[in-house]
Amino acid sequence: MKSLRRSVRKSTAAVLTAGLLATACTSPLRTPSISPSGAEGAGGIGAEGIGDPYFPRYGNGGYDVGHYGIQVRYDPATDQLTGRVAITAVAAVPLRRFNLDFTGLPTTRITVNGQPATAEQQESELRVTPAAEVSGDFTVEIDYAGVPQPIKAILGEGGWLHTEDGAIALGQPESASSWFPVNDHPLDKATYDLAITVPEGLSALSNGTPEGTTTADGWTTWRWAERAPMAPYLTTLVIGDYRITSGSHRNRPILTAVAKSFPEGGDADAAMARTAEVADFLETQFGPYPFESYGGVVVADPRISYALETQSRPVYGPSFFRAGSDSSWVVAHELAHQWFGDSVSIGGWQHIWLNEGFASYAEWLWAEKDRKISVQSQFDDVYGLMDWTVPTGDPGPANIFSGAVYRRGALAVHALRLTVGDDAFFKILKAWTTERRNGNAVTADFIALSERVSGKSLRPLFDAWLFGTAQPPVPKP
């Protein structure tokens, strides 16, 4: 998710076209998966796109990535990035050609199953032709080098951003393809090992568990490992001059970092210091924390006008930290995404309310716990001001970071709570995060689970709150 400042917060093999909910509902009822069906072009050529109706060229068809091993070396003085990615994948069908998402850094070596392969760059697609057709398990290694460029995104520039003291790789709905070849869609989650080499004295922060550093000849390599499946847009790389705090919480590593340009002991440091406290509270609401590490990074670059739930270690832009302000609400939002969006990822960008509605609702839960502002009063405030013309469950590509997804999504969550009662509501949330852990899901999956756990027919409720274009009546508890 993306959190945008207070007003509007953000931010397949395709089986994203199943049945419809009644009348106004256009949400697929089938859970998508990486599968051969519709995933590949004719003659064993992987599709240029995974099948997402909002962003047809995101991701690629015909294969499923299991793991990325990424090694990069970055020199901020020259803005030169040198990288190697080792990909392990499974072909859904025999492939004589397949695509990776990559925004155009020149490649210097490509192998498939250890044999030289050829590649053609077409806009943001890297078309790879192996020496021999691949089937089943296969490996790809790609060496590349150049000056990485940002990606034009819905909220402005994303992807790789050169900064005054280093770089930030961040963005949604795409960013990873700006710094490594990838199958860039949430449906193809994978595990990651990352080794980032930077000039000695700079930090290189990423996802997952810190695996140590080594220094030689004026360069330091920082190693990170994310062992839980991660959607590509949730990867991040933050290089620069940072104040790092590390330790252990609940037998897991916790590492937070704040750009040194922020005053030591100020609002940014105070917010990051509450990371474990907020995570523990959310665990009581949503079930066990889903990852092996905790953390957060506060960056100073003003181009980052949002916060993003990069897996296990969210990144926060500078605008959230004003003198004397309590910024723990945005920590609650981004940490809620570790359950809703990261562990349980969407099956297509139409369903982004499953990320943002619940993360926005987590803000209300946290405000009730931390500042004694009732969830009901927060609901009432938003309900009275909501624009109902954009459907939450199918907002359209231009509105995936709109209030219809965030605020109206939170309203729909509370409407469910009022309808089924607290006991069933929190059972639904915990069943969702347990049963769908490390996987993908769509709106229809959540509706089906809610009906199963509550024993109630809920299609009319969700139809009105997610897909209607008029203000629905508030359910009576």
Side-chain angles (χ1 to χ4, degrees), residues 243-474:
R243 186 166 55 248
I244 294 174
T245 302
S246 61
S248 177
H249 180 68
R250 293 182 178 253
N251 297 317
R252 300 181 180 101
I254 181 169
L255 184 148
T256 61
V258 176
K260 287 186 178 178
S261 57
F262 286 90
E264 188 167 1
D267 298 311
D269 286 334
M272 290 303 94
R274 301 193 76 180
T275 294
E277 177 192 0
V278 174
D280 286 351
F281 166 71
L282 294 178
E283 192 170 55
T284 68
Q285 309 296 291
F286 303 150
Y289 181 75
F291 300 122
E292 294 180 351
S293 63
Y294 304 87
V297 180
V298 178
V299 300
D301 194 300
R303 290 173 294 177
I304 307 301
S305 59
Y306 53 86
L308 186 61
E309 64 272 18
T310 43
Q311 191 156 307
S312 74
R313 193 155 288 107
V315 175
Y316 304 88
S319 61
F320 297 101
F321 307 100
R322 305 292 186 190
S325 64
D326 175 11
S327 301
S328 62
W329 66 268
V330 72
V331 177
H333 187 118
E334 300 310 326
L335 290 183
H337 274 304
Q338 305 308 304
W339 288 264
F340 295 93
D342 293 12
S343 178
V344 185
S345 299
I346 51 176
W349 286 105
Q350 172 186 339
H351 307 281
I352 189 172
W353 85 274
L354 289 169
N355 298 0
E356 301 305 342
F358 286 94
S360 296
Y361 195 71
E363 295 178 35
W364 297 356
L365 293 169
W366 174 248
E368 183 173 73
K369 188 263 183 189
D370 192 52
R371 292 183 287 139
K372 312 308 178 190
I373 304 172
S374 74
V375 170
Q376 185 62 49
S377 68
Q378 296 175 81
F379 170 91
D380 293 341
D381 289 344
V382 176
Y383 176 80
L385 299 173
M386 194 69 236
D387 175 3
W388 298 91
T389 60
V390 178
T392 301
D394 193 4
N399 289 314
I400 62 173
F401 301 133
S402 71
V405 170
Y406 288 71
R407 298 295 119 200
R408 185 174 168 181
L411 293 174
V413 173
H414 193 62
L416 171 65
R417 181 178 179 179
L418 293 174
T419 300
V420 303
D422 278 10
D423 286 348
F425 175 74
F426 287 104
K427 285 179 182 176
I428 288 168
L429 300 194
K430 291 174 181 177
W432 180 253
T433 60
T434 299
E435 295 178 17
R436 295 284 175 171
R437 182 172 180 169
N438 293 333
N440 296 80
V442 298
T443 300
D445 298 318
F446 184 76
I447 295 171
L449 181 140
S450 298
E451 291 184 325
R452 171 169 60 84
V453 173
S454 70
K456 293 177 178 280
S457 175
L458 299 171
R459 297 296 176 95
L461 174 82
F462 283 107
D463 192 24
W465 286 84
L466 295 180
F467 297 97
T469 55
Q471 186 182 64
V474 178

